[in-house]
């Protein structure tokens, strides 16, 4: 199963809106086939693993997710398994997709295949955290990312933020951009930094995320770089209902609240456009309203060994903040990883 999980990982960033899945076929103690879901719309892991595995009667099939039993862009894997008839299927976790959710296991058992569920289940759920959130709620998995100084600033009081963190952190951010469906920033970040928001990887092909910009005041300048890129991904602009943005490839008309555009409504609309993951890259006002709306699932804060200071310098999370410590947003499973001279703090938002 460890090998199957490692194979699944190879599909990261290329399978959306599908999960990453890996599969290994073992007969008489030897691996006779392996594969993974390489790209959305293409063969599932089981198909790739069983191809060339020969006679699998008596074999065990290790797969990181319950085999599917519904017709999607490719035929159900359960039908293939029933036809090839291995002795046993070991799945790391049940498929949370309501169209599957135990039905694949049931169908295999009815066909006389032994099915075991749960081997390395926690690892499998971590691998597919994006898919699980999306398929069970219709909302994207949201990561709040920023590069900040040790005193929590993401720019100086003049708005300068190039660069807070080091080269290694910035490379890692390009890797994450390559893996997510969309990247979201506030209009002030676009106006001040004029970023490209593309994924640029050293030496390997990359895939740009869809760029989404919040523009409640409709003052985004059409000259900004995000509207003139050589990129296969579009730039979408979120505006209030009835609003417009001529420079955008597409406009999302979103309801408003006291903070500007409703993050809940925006995420719902992104989900309905099959955006399964969103990387929020600031600035501070945008992070604040995402946290306040409860849409953030994970944080990735890169901390640089620098002090910026200044009460008017932008903090990682702006807004008006909470009054009582008891109301703080709590995080769990926090890890700290050195990245060059910086430290990456990753953690998950505790949901009520
Ligand atoms: N170090 C880093 O990781 C990093 C990353 C990004 C940015 N930055 C820095 O952060 C600074 C900008 O941050 P910022 O806090 O001033 O602005 P911001 O978050 O980039 O943009 C805020 C603007 O977005 C619009 N908006 C629309 N709906 C919103 C909503 N629901 N919540 C929040 N904003 C909404 C509002 O403008 P309208 O109402 O006019 O639309 C608001 O003024 C820049 O100096 C930039 O360099 C640093």
């Amino acid at each position: 199963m460890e090998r199957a999980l490692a194979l699944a990982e190879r599909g990261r960033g290329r399978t959306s809106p599908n999960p990453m899945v890996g599969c290994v076929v073992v007969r008489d103690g030897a691996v006779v086939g392996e594969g993974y879901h390489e790209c959305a719309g293409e063969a599932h892991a089981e198909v790739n693993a069983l191809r060339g595995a020969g006679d699998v009667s008596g074999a065990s099939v290790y797969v990181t997710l319950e085999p599917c039993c519904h017709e999607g862009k490719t035929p159900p894997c359960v039908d293939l398994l029933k036809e090839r008839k291995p002795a046993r299927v070991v799945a790391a976790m049940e498929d949370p997709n309501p169209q599957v959710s135990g039905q694949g296991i049931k169908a295999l058992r009815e066909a006389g295949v032994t099915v075991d569920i749960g081997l390395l289940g926690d690892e499998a759920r971590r691998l597919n955290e994006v898919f699980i959130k999306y398929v069970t709620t219709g909302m994207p998995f949201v990561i709040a990312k920023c590069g900040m100084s040790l005193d929590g600033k993401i720019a100086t009081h003049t708005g300068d933020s190039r660069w807070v963190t080091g080269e290694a952190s910035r490379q890692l951010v390009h890797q994450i951009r390559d893996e997510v469906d969309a990247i979201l920033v506030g209009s002030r970040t676009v106006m001040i930094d004029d970023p490209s928001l593309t994924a640029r990887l050293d030496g390997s092909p990359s895939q740009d995320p869809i760029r989404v910009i919040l523009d409640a005041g409709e003052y985004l300048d059409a000259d900004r770089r995000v509207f003139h890129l050589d990129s296969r991904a579009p730039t979408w602009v979120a505006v209030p209902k009835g609003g417009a943005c001529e420079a955008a490839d597409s406009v999302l008309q979103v309801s408003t609240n006291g903070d500007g555009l409703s993050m809940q409504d925006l995420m719902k609309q992104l989900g309905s456009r099959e955006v399964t993951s969103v990387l929020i890259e600031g600035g501070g006002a945008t992070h604040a309203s995402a946290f306040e709306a409860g849409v953030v699932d994970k944080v990735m804060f890169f901390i640089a060994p620098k002090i910026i200071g200044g009460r008017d310098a932008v903090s990682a999370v702006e807004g008006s903040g909470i009054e009582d410590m008891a109301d703080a947003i709590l995080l769990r499973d926090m890890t700290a990883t050195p990245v060059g001279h910086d430290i990456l703090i990753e953690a998950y938002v505790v949901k009520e």
Side-chain angles (χ1 to χ4, degrees):
M1 191 61 83
E2 277 173 5
R3 173 72 185 148
L5 286 165
L7 287 164
E9 181 66 47
R10 292 192 196 170
R12 187 176 287 280
R14 301 297 178 265
T15 64
S16 172
N18 295 340
M20 288 172 263
V21 187
C23 181
V24 174
V25 185
V26 178
R27 190 178 56 222
D28 301 327
V31 171
V32 293
E34 57 176 37
Y36 66 100
H37 184 39
E38 294 174 23
C39 189
E42 292 184 8
H44 286 188
E46 297 90 322
V47 175
N48 289 333
L50 286 165
R51 186 183 298 132
D55 176 14
V56 296
S57 51
S60 292
V61 174
Y62 293 83
V63 60
T64 57
L65 187 71
E66 171 186 4
C68 65
C69 56
H70 61 295
E71 190 88 33
K73 287 192 180 119
T74 60
C77 292
V78 160
D79 289 357
L80 175 68
L81 286 161
K82 277 161 63 177
E83 184 194 313
R84 300 288 296 272
K85 217 128 199 285
R88 185 173 168 231
V89 169
V90 183
M93 61 177 281
E94 222 180 70
D95 188 340
N97 183 346
Q99 285 182 291
V100 186
S101 167
Q103 294 304 309
I105 299 166
K106 189 163 165 258
L108 287 172
R109 286 188 176 140
E110 280 168 4
V113 178
T114 300
V115 183
D116 293 316
I117 290 283
L119 181 64
L120 300 184
D122 288 345
E123 288 81 350
R125 276 183 286 276
R126 175 66 67 96
L127 172 83
N128 273 317
E129 58 194 11
V130 166
F131 171 74
I132 294 170
K133 163 106 190 262
Y134 180 68
V135 84
T136 56
T137 65
M139 302 276 268
F141 185 88
V142 177
I143 303 167
K145 172 260 152 187
C146 73
M148 67 185 205
S149 58
L150 190 55
D151 56 331
K153 308 292 186 188
I154 61 171
T156 67
H157 72 91
T158 64
D160 182 31
S161 65
R162 292 222 161 96
W163 300 104
V164 179
T165 53
E167 177 61 31
S169 296
R170 299 205 302 276
Q171 255 315 304
L172 185 52
V173 170
H174 282 287
Q175 173 87 43
I176 302 160
R177 287 180 178 181
D178 172 76
E179 294 168 359
V180 294
D181 290 345
I183 183 169
L184 171 72
V185 296
S187 54
R188 269 206 302 270
T189 292
V190 172
M191 294 306 287
I192 295 171
D193 297 354
D194 196 13
S196 313
L197 305 176
T198 51
R200 302 180 294 278
L201 297 176
D202 273 348
S204 46
S206 54
Q207 182 178 271
D208 293 338
I210 296 164
R211 295 165 291 277
V212 183
I213 301 158
L214 298 176
D215 187 23
E218 292 180 58
Y219 67 79
L220 267 180
D221 185 344
D223 289 341
R224 296 288 102 173
R225 209 170 269 155
V226 285
F227 298 120
H228 305 281
L229 291 167
D230 179 17
S231 167
R232 284 171 66 187
T235 297
W236 295 350
V237 176
V239 297
K241 297 248 185 251
C245 177
E246 280 192 11
D249 294 308
S250 176
V251 165
L252 295 131
Q253 294 197 347
V254 177
S255 54
T256 47
N257 56 30
D259 293 330
L261 301 168
S262 158
M263 285 288 193
Q264 276 283 348
D265 186 25
L266 174 62
M267 293 305 163
K268 211 180 280 174
Q269 292 195 36
L270 291 176
S272 67
R273 292 184 178 203
E274 276 202 346
V275 169
T276 69
S277 53
V278 176
L279 180 70
I280 304 183
E281 283 208 33
T286 300
H287 279 146
S289 66
F291 280 110
E292 280 163 20
V295 300
V296 180
D297 296 292
K298 182 177 182 179
V299 300
M300 296 183 81
F301 282 12
F302 292 82
I303 304 175
K306 290 179 186 170
I307 305 289
I308 292 177
R311 73 173 62 83
D312 294 331
V314 184
S315 304
V317 183
E318 288 278 328
S320 41
I322 54 160
E323 283 182 17
D324 300 323
M325 197 47 91
D327 296 329
I329 292 165
L330 301 180
L331 304 174
R332 62 175 170 82
D333 299 337
M334 190 171 86
T335 58
T337 313
V339 182
H341 296 300
D342 305 327
I343 291 178
L344 167 60
I345 299 285
E346 292 177 274
Y348 293 86
V349 174
V350 174
K351 306 263 173 164
E352 310 253 301

